[in-house]
Amino acid sequence: MRINYAIIFISDMQRSLVFYRDVLELPLRFESPHWSEFATEGATLALHATNVVAAPSDDRSHERPGSCRPGFSVPDLDAFHQRMIAAHVVCVQPPKPVFGARVAQYLDPDGLVLSVGEERQGR
């Protein structure tokens, strides 16, 4: 079994489109005011606009039910990290070894944590 898609509930479609399309450079499959999809390798990432406002929380150690934490893989985590910092993306965990891989975490415009790992060599 593999992940087929991830839906991220967002508050502002245009702001999130700019982030995922222009900052993360994900290829946009299509967009609409309430639902947009990106053609990522192996899975579809969908943004779904909602008018439900979540209470802000500084505790990101436990995600609340209904949230999403997508994980991405990049060939060069250090280069990706530098690009995110240059784009003023909030980094909540700089690249570090986690369970045999290197992983960093960033926040999207709504405060969703994105995990980004480096593709393992030889796999």
Side-chain angles (χ1 to χ4, degrees):
M1 185 180 310
R2 70 179 176 88
I3 236 175
N4 191 34
Y5 63 87
I7 300 169
I8 300 174
F9 294 92
I10 49 97
S11 63
D12 182 313
M13 184 61 74
Q14 285 307 307
R15 181 178 69 171
S16 293
L17 277 171
V18 166
F19 179 79
Y20 286 94
R21 180 191 60 217
D22 301 341
V23 177
L24 290 184
E25 299 180 352
L26 295 177
L28 185 64
R29 181 177 290 150
F30 72 88
E31 69 178 272
S32 75
H34 301 289
W35 183 273
S36 297
E37 289 186 4
F38 296 91
T40 60
E41 293 182 33
T44 297
L45 179 66
L47 303 178
H48 181 49
T50 180
N51 59 6
V52 175
V53 179
S57 171
D58 291 334
D59 179 11
R60 299 193 189 285
S61 62
H62 297 91
E63 297 296 330
R64 70 189 186 285
S67 65
C68 177
R69 181 179 290 185
F72 299 93
S73 181
V74 297
D76 184 342
L77 186 56
D78 293 323
F80 180 87
H81 179 69
Q82 291 306 313
R83 191 163 55 87
M84 293 302 98
I85 297 305
H88 306 288
V89 175
V90 175
C91 176
V92 294
Q93 175 189 296
K96 74 174 193 174
V98 177
F99 302 115
R102 290 185 66 231
V103 176
Q105 293 182 341
Y106 306 91
L107 298 182
D108 85 347
D110 285 307
L112 178 68
V113 177
L114 306 174
S115 293
V116 181
E118 190 166 66
E119 294 172 1
R120 295 181 188 186
Q121 300 300 316
R123 288 199 177 210

